[in-house]
Amino acid sequence: MDSIRIRGGKPLSGRIAIGGAKNAALPLMTAGLLTEQRLVLENVPQLADISTMASLLAQHGIAVDNVTDDGRSLSLGGAISNTEAPYDIVRKMRASILVLGPLLARVGEARVSLPGGCAIGTRPVDLHLKGLEQMGARIDLDGGYIHASVQGRLRGATIVLPFASVGATENLLMAAALADGQTVLANVAREPEITDLADCLVAMGARIAGIGTDRLTIEGVDALHGATHRIIPDRIETGTYACAAAITGGEVRLVNARLDHLGAVARTLREAGVEMTEEADGLLVRRANGLHGVDVMTEPYPGFPTDMQAQYMVLMSVAEGAAMVTETIFENRFMHVPELNRMGARINVHGASAIVRGVSALSGAPVMATDLRASVSLILAGLAAKGETVVNRVYHLDRGYEAVEQKLAACGADIERLSR
Ligand code: EPZ
């Protein structure tokens, strides 16, 4: 199991290239199931989750080929030969559930393992299943698997989500693209990754109105054709490295970053004392003077993203004053707190809220990573801490952050991976 060692206290300075968005790339890859023609995706991040998704699609019959040697352009195509998504893949990556809608829409059946819970919560998929049932699918749960089938085509329906689930929105949008008739999806998630998926589906011939809003109207078509689509930059990677620049008191240019996707993150960081300036090729981020505590509550887009909660909490742990951080999306997303407190942070959790009282400095320590965003928050803490930090179980990190130690080392961080 690899670990990452950091000797903190060095201000970051330099440029970091922001990669394609993981949470756009994963649903976009499942869109390859929706057409017998080739879907080409560009700006694909090099992540463990992308490889896992490629393996999942390959066992469905969809070959995922490198168009360029660097693996950042993928060509997906093939005939669906297997409609089962097995437990041993799904348990490793919950986004596997996103093959359900496309398989049902293309071939009328799917047998997908229930993803099960994960470190941050139970993460049910009931909204995905209820929506597909409204579109005429028969759904049975047996032996830990979802057995879904439909006679003929899925049919359009009006579906109102009780809350803006990202995955449910994506599964139902892809299913509706090939359904018979009109589907209205109301109260859907509006994350930029969903807009990116919708834009790609339209390029493939889908008929979607309301893109970027919380109400999508889809006129189903008989078939979708191939397309080439460039994936948007990763706004969570952008926010993460913005926090790295701020917490080390450095100055970093985030190349290809898009400020317009950062909404509440940019507003909150600026209020906390972080300078973010748009430049021709990205975003210049540095700490103006001191950092001070600003309360935050995670919410669906355009609110403050839950995927930035842990990273922001680290920034607040060394800010002037105090900040209340409230997590409204997942029920167990504070596992970074005990590890940060071992590094000298002063964070108290009360239910869904954590009060963070700023300290003058964190101190390095061996810490344990538990999930993707908690892992990177410990890296951020190590960058700022006095002394040495060793983050263990970094396989979580590799799922969502490409070459994190190389990107940080190139900006002056004393960071290296220890392979055990
Ligand atoms: C996506 O997960 C992201 N993953 C998550 O990013 C992100 O945290 C989350 O959206 C919220 O923004 C990908 O895009 C691959 P949800 P998803 O459906 O689709 C509950 C990361 O770190 N819920 O919006 O699973 C659920 O339990 C990952 O990159 C139901 O109750 O998120 C959760 O509490 C972590 N029933 C809340 O809704 C359902 O049918 C939000 O879930 C579906 C969800």
Side-chain angles (χ1 to χ4, degrees):
M1 284 236 235
D2 287 2
S3 52
I4 286 182
R5 177 174 62 196
I6 306 140
R7 293 187 182 96
K10 295 171 180 58
L12 295 183
S13 171
R15 296 163 66 89
I16 293 179
I18 298 299
K22 167 180 84 80
N23 290 350
L26 293 172
L28 282 164
M29 288 177 77
T30 63
L33 288 161
L34 291 170
T35 175
E36 60 188 12
Q37 297 182 12
R38 285 219 156 261
L39 174 62
V40 175
L41 297 175
E42 297 175 340
N43 196 32
V44 180
Q46 306 298 292
L47 301 169
D49 271 7
I50 300 297
S51 309
T52 304
M53 182 60 82
S55 310
L56 177 64
L57 292 174
Q59 63 93 46
H60 285 308
I62 303 296
V64 181
D65 303 313
N66 283 336
V67 174
T68 51
D69 294 345
D70 61 6
R72 292 185 192 286
S73 290
L74 299 177
S75 169
L76 292 84
I80 294 173
S81 55
N82 163 44
T83 58
E84 176 169 321
Y87 175 65
D88 68 323
I89 296 182
V90 177
R91 70 184 172 80
K92 279 189 291 191
M93 185 185 63
R94 307 181 36 74
S96 307
I97 190 68
L98 294 175
V99 302
L100 179 60
L103 285 172
L104 263 181
R106 265 306 293 292
V107 295
E109 64 165 12
R111 191 168 175 273
V112 177
S113 168
L114 276 162
C118 76
I120 61 178
T122 54
R123 301 191 69 185
V125 289
D126 54 315
L127 302 184
H128 302 236
L129 304 183
K130 282 182 191 135
L132 291 170
E133 281 179 325
Q134 278 189 255
M135 297 174 77
R138 177 191 164 88
I139 305 277
D140 295 305
L141 302 183
D142 177 42
Y145 276 75
I146 301 160
H147 301 256
S149 60
V150 61
Q151 293 305 318
R153 288 173 72 184
L154 291 170
R155 59 176 186 275
T158 294
I159 300 167
V160 182
L161 291 181
F163 59 83
S165 156
V166 169
T169 303
E170 291 165 342
N171 241 333
L172 297 175
L173 172 59
M174 288 191 280
L178 289 177
D180 183 13
Q182 183 184 82
T183 297
V184 174
L185 301 177
N187 194 33
V188 295
R190 299 163 49 197
E191 273 68 1
E193 293 76 27
I194 288 169
T195 295
D196 206 33
L197 173 62
D199 289 345
C200 179
L201 292 172
V202 167
M204 294 167 70
R207 295 170 55 199
I208 305 170
I211 295 175
T213 74
D214 66 354
R215 184 184 182 86
L216 297 172
T217 302
I218 306 103
E219 301 296 339
V221 295
D222 295 341
L224 293 176
H225 50 70
T228 296
H229 178 80
R230 184 170 180 78
I231 298 169
I232 55 171
D234 193 317
R235 62 194 169 101
I236 305 301
E237 185 187 24
T238 303
T240 300
Y241 288 121
C243 289
I247 204 168
T248 59
E251 176 172 300
V252 176
R253 276 174 174 72
L254 303 178
V255 179
N256 301 326
R258 281 187 56 171
L259 185 61
D260 61 326
H261 286 168
L262 284 180
V265 173
R267 256 195 323 280
T268 307
L269 290 180
R270 282 170 163 161
E271 203 182 327
V274 181
E275 262 183 31
M276 301 176 84
T277 314
E278 272 196 300
E279 294 190 331
D281 62 350
L283 217 47
L284 176 65
V285 182
R286 62 195 182 128
R287 189 163 76 193
N289 301 307
L291 291 170
H292 45 269
V294 174
D295 296 350
V296 87
M297 177 181 281
T298 64
E299 293 171 302
Y301 193 86
F304 193 95
T306 176
D307 292 347
M308 275 298 301
Q309 179 257 105
Q311 300 91 307
Y312 181 73
M313 193 181 275
V314 179
L315 195 63
M316 290 296 100
S317 71
V318 291
E320 190 72 32
M324 174 85 83
V325 178
T326 301
E327 172 58 58
T328 72
I329 305 292
F330 290 106
E331 64 265 32
N332 186 34
R333 205 169 195 179
F334 283 146
M335 286 165 300
H336 42 287
V337 169
E339 298 304 296
L340 292 175
N341 285 342
R342 293 182 59 245
M343 297 178 70
R346 289 179 59 208
I347 306 169
N348 285 333
V349 173
H350 294 280
S353 292
I355 185 76
V356 186
R357 293 183 176 84
V359 296
S360 56
L362 298 174
S363 49
V367 287
M368 185 70 75
T370 49
D371 64 88
L372 170 57
R373 308 302 175 181
S375 306
V376 84
S377 76
L378 298 173
I379 300 276
L380 297 183
L383 291 172
K386 287 190 179 118
E388 180 175 288
T389 298
V390 176
V391 181
N392 295 297
R393 289 204 311 197
V394 290
Y395 61 86
H396 293 293
L397 200 63
D398 298 335
R399 294 189 49 183
Y401 286 92
E402 184 179 339
V404 63
E405 67 267 27
Q406 288 90 333
K407 292 186 176 183
L408 290 170
C411 289
D414 181 345
I415 181 171
E416 62 175 320
R417 183 176 290 252
L418 309 173
S419 297
R420 300 214 188 270

